[in-house]
Amino acid sequence: MAELRTDRLVLRGWRESDLGPWAAMNADPEVREYFPDVLTREQSQASAARFQADLDQRGWGWWAVEVAATGEFIGFTGLDPVDENMPFTGVETGWRLARSAWGHGYATEAALVAVTFAFESLALPEILAMTTATNLRSQAVMRRLGMTRDPADDYDDVSVPAGPLRRNVVYRLSSTTLRRTRPASRAGCSTHRKSD
């Protein structure tokens, strides 16, 4: 499994000690503002188990994120194949952080190292990111990564009840664009292979 690092963050596999703070995050209405519901503790534990299984199977996926200086678990970021029911295919990046970790540039920093891994280690030609049309904070992170939006890609998520969360936007980043316009980062990044 790949373990990714910046000067401030570690993207790593999931641990038993992550489950409590992960469940607390997913029960927080502010963290889940752009999702239909909060998650139960059991749902959060099941998602962490799925994420770790993907990391074990293919070596990449949704990594747990910790602050390097303290070891504090703050959320997740990473890469995942786009769901089969989506109107397009590819690999997406995403992130979800605890409220205490907002406003430090962690989402951009963690996503940048994941996207760099996708292009340099997996040789993917493009990365996608999706969010609700109302989630302006995540869209700002996407733009900081150098991603761009074509409104023709926007879509309605029919699995979500009618309302403000149904409309979604899609941002894209190609490997050539990242090399040409790589955003300034507070920290360098590196990839380490970690055996099981």
Side-chain angles (χ1 to χ4, degrees):
M1 179 188 79
E3 184 176 273
L4 310 182
R5 292 178 175 269
T6 72
D7 288 345
R8 300 194 301 166
L9 302 173
V10 180
L11 281 63
R12 54 158 176 79
W14 291 75
R15 301 174 182 157
E16 188 74 25
S17 60
D18 300 331
L19 298 181
W22 174 240
M25 277 180 54
N26 288 316
D28 183 336
E30 286 192 59
V31 172
R32 299 282 301 179
E33 179 179 1
Y34 300 103
F35 294 89
D37 296 301
V38 296
L39 298 183
T40 66
R41 186 176 185 86
E42 292 74 22
Q43 289 171 320
S44 288
Q45 290 178 342
S47 67
R50 286 194 309 273
F51 300 159
Q52 186 57 50
D54 288 340
L55 290 170
D56 290 339
Q57 179 181 7
R58 65 183 179 227
W60 56 274
W62 298 122
W63 287 279
V65 178
E66 72 174 42
V67 177
T70 64
E72 176 191 5
F73 169 87
I74 59 169
F76 86 156
T77 195
L79 307 163
D80 200 50
V82 172
D83 289 342
E84 293 178 0
N85 62 345
M86 300 296 275
F88 41 79
T89 60
V91 173
E92 67 172 310
T93 188
W95 45 86
R96 190 178 319 150
L97 301 181
R99 272 191 290 150
S100 62
W102 294 359
H104 301 283
Y106 290 150
T108 303
E109 189 172 321
L112 178 60
V113 73
V115 167
T116 300
F117 173 84
F119 291 143
E120 294 181 356
S121 297
L122 303 180
L124 296 178
E126 180 183 63
I127 291 294
L128 307 172
M130 293 84 71
T131 191
T132 62
T134 54
N135 188 346
L136 302 182
R137 289 191 307 264
S138 276
Q139 291 181 58
V141 172
M142 294 168 192
R143 289 191 298 274
R144 283 195 290 273
L145 292 170
M147 305 184 96
T148 57
R149 173 187 169 209
D150 180 347
D153 288 334
D154 294 355
Y155 67 98
D156 288 332
D157 184 349
V158 296
S159 69
V160 174
L165 300 182
R166 178 169 277 191
R167 192 67 176 165
N168 279 248
V169 297
V170 180
Y171 281 73
R172 297 176 182 268
L173 179 66
S174 72
S175 58
T176 54
T177 301
L178 181 68
R179 284 194 295 271
R180 195 170 59 248
T181 63
R182 185 169 183 151
S185 174
R186 294 183 187 183
C189 61
S190 61
T191 304
H192 301 278
R193 286 281 174 186
K194 184 177 179 183
S195 60
D196 293 340

